[in-house]
Amino acid sequence: MTLRLVLSACAGLALLAACDSSKPAAETTAPAAKNGKVYRVVTERVKPPMVAYVDGKITGFEYDLLQAIAAKKGISFEYQVVDSKKDLLPALESGKADIAAGAITINDERRQKVNFSEPILDYSAAVLVDKSLADTKSFADLKGKSVAVGRGTVYDKMAADYLASGDGKNIVYYDTVWEQVKNLLNHQTQVVLGDSLILEYYLQQNGSHQAVFVQNISFPKESYGFALAKNNTELQQEINDGLEKIREDGTYAKIYQTYWQKNEQR
């Protein structure tokens, strides 16, 4: 898929209800690199709070991390966008980008095709429910409830395996996590399956007491990382060294608190 430079504005980082295609694209090139190294970063258009385009400009946790790393290492990034997460890693494999960002989980299968930075954020799967279901003890208690998920995701399979009714019509699909959460808060659905930190972000931004996390269902820890073109060990070292520096000087913690103010750093 052909990569495109930043597209139209997406209104509202927290809500992201719509994208206004009438607004012109904006430049997303970082300040000139001190050592002349400019790397191409590919992201999805809408993946808050990790990355998103708002008023024609890129923003988000991963963008802030990359810019902080760039400042430490004297390098620069140019940002490109694709429509779907499935297009991120192929952009690296085809040589159209050097780095992919946007809630990419580090796993062994992906390591066969790309390199990864050191982990940038830990999370786990989570079950968010209407507060009336706060006492849920297991998936069995939620079987047949209306469940909001993203189609083709690991959560889609989880819902099909554990929560689907006989005909599966209780599984409802939405394109974005915000739509999933919004419809739960509006009592259109009863359950959302997703990444813990992203779900926490939306609850924090919207100040809702209409939903709670199920505490009795636990999942193993996962980690997001920046995906890098295979065998580009020089770039991998640049990113990892920059990550270490911003962790040591407190920059990482400050960026984290920008997005998850009520939570301790993970």
Side-chain angles (χ1 to χ4, degrees):
M1 180 177 181
T2 302
L3 297 178
R4 297 188 295 277
L5 290 176
V6 178
L7 301 180
S8 55
C10 290
L13 178 59
L15 300 182
L16 291 165
C19 289
D20 179 4
S21 59
S22 65
K23 296 183 179 180
E27 292 295 329
T28 56
T29 303
K34 294 178 182 178
N35 62 14
K37 293 181 181 178
V38 180
Y39 296 106
R40 300 161 299 169
V41 181
V42 62
T43 76
E44 287 183 80
R45 186 191 314 171
V46 179
K47 195 68 177 184
M50 308 307 286
V51 66
Y53 293 88
V54 179
D55 294 332
K57 297 180 180 180
I58 187 171
T59 185
F61 175 76
E62 291 188 53
Y63 171 76
D64 290 349
L65 287 188
L66 284 171
Q67 295 305 92
I69 290 169
K72 290 293 184 185
K73 299 298 296 180
I75 58 179
S76 184
F77 298 114
E78 292 180 347
Y79 293 86
Q80 303 170 314
V81 65
V82 292
D83 289 329
S84 172
K85 189 169 187 174
K86 66 181 177 62
D87 299 312
L88 292 176
L89 299 191
L92 299 180
E93 296 176 71
S94 66
K96 294 179 180 178
D98 303 303
I99 305 172
I104 302 174
T105 299
I106 300 171
N107 61 40
D108 290 339
E109 180 181 355
R110 289 171 175 167
R111 286 187 191 276
Q112 301 302 311
K113 298 180 179 180
V114 299
N115 287 343
F116 276 99
S117 68
E118 291 296 318
I120 61 172
L121 194 64
D122 296 336
Y123 75 97
S124 67
V127 183
L128 186 66
V129 297
D130 184 274
K131 65 179 182 180
S132 64
L133 300 172
D135 294 331
T136 293
K137 297 294 189 294
S138 68
F139 275 133
D141 296 335
L142 299 175
K143 190 174 180 65
K145 304 294 185 184
S146 55
V147 183
V149 295
R151 190 180 298 278
T153 64
V154 295
Y155 303 112
D156 184 1
K157 186 177 186 307
M158 188 183 296
D161 289 346
Y162 299 106
L163 302 179
S165 59
D167 58 11
K169 291 183 178 180
N170 64 309
I171 310 300
V172 185
Y173 296 99
Y174 298 99
D175 291 335
T176 68
V177 179
W178 166 240
E179 289 178 292
Q180 296 165 32
V181 174
K182 179 177 66 175
N183 281 278
L184 175 65
L185 299 181
N186 290 337
H187 306 292
Q188 302 302 306
T189 56
Q190 298 167 286
V191 183
V192 175
L193 303 179
D195 295 1
S196 57
L197 284 178
I198 293 178
L199 294 178
E200 283 178 17
Y201 171 81
Y202 282 119
L203 285 188
Q204 178 177 293
Q205 291 296 308
N206 293 280
S208 175
H209 300 291
Q210 301 301 313
V212 296
F213 285 98
V214 174
Q215 301 298 319
N216 298 299
I217 303 176
S218 60
F219 301 91
K221 186 190 80 170
E222 305 276 3
S223 297
Y224 297 132
F226 296 121
L228 313 168
K230 194 70 174 176
N231 300 321
N232 192 341
T233 55
E234 179 183 1
L235 174 57
Q236 187 179 40
Q237 183 59 45
E238 292 269 29
I239 297 298
N240 286 341
D241 186 56
L243 272 172
E244 183 177 359
K245 290 181 183 302
I246 66 172
R247 286 184 186 278
E248 289 175 347
D249 72 3
T251 300
Y252 178 97
K254 290 178 181 178
I255 293 172
Y256 181 95
Q257 291 298 322
T258 299
Y259 296 91
W260 292 281
Q261 296 175 5
K262 298 180 182 179
N263 302 302
E264 295 181 0
Q265 182 181 343
R266 286 169 169 75

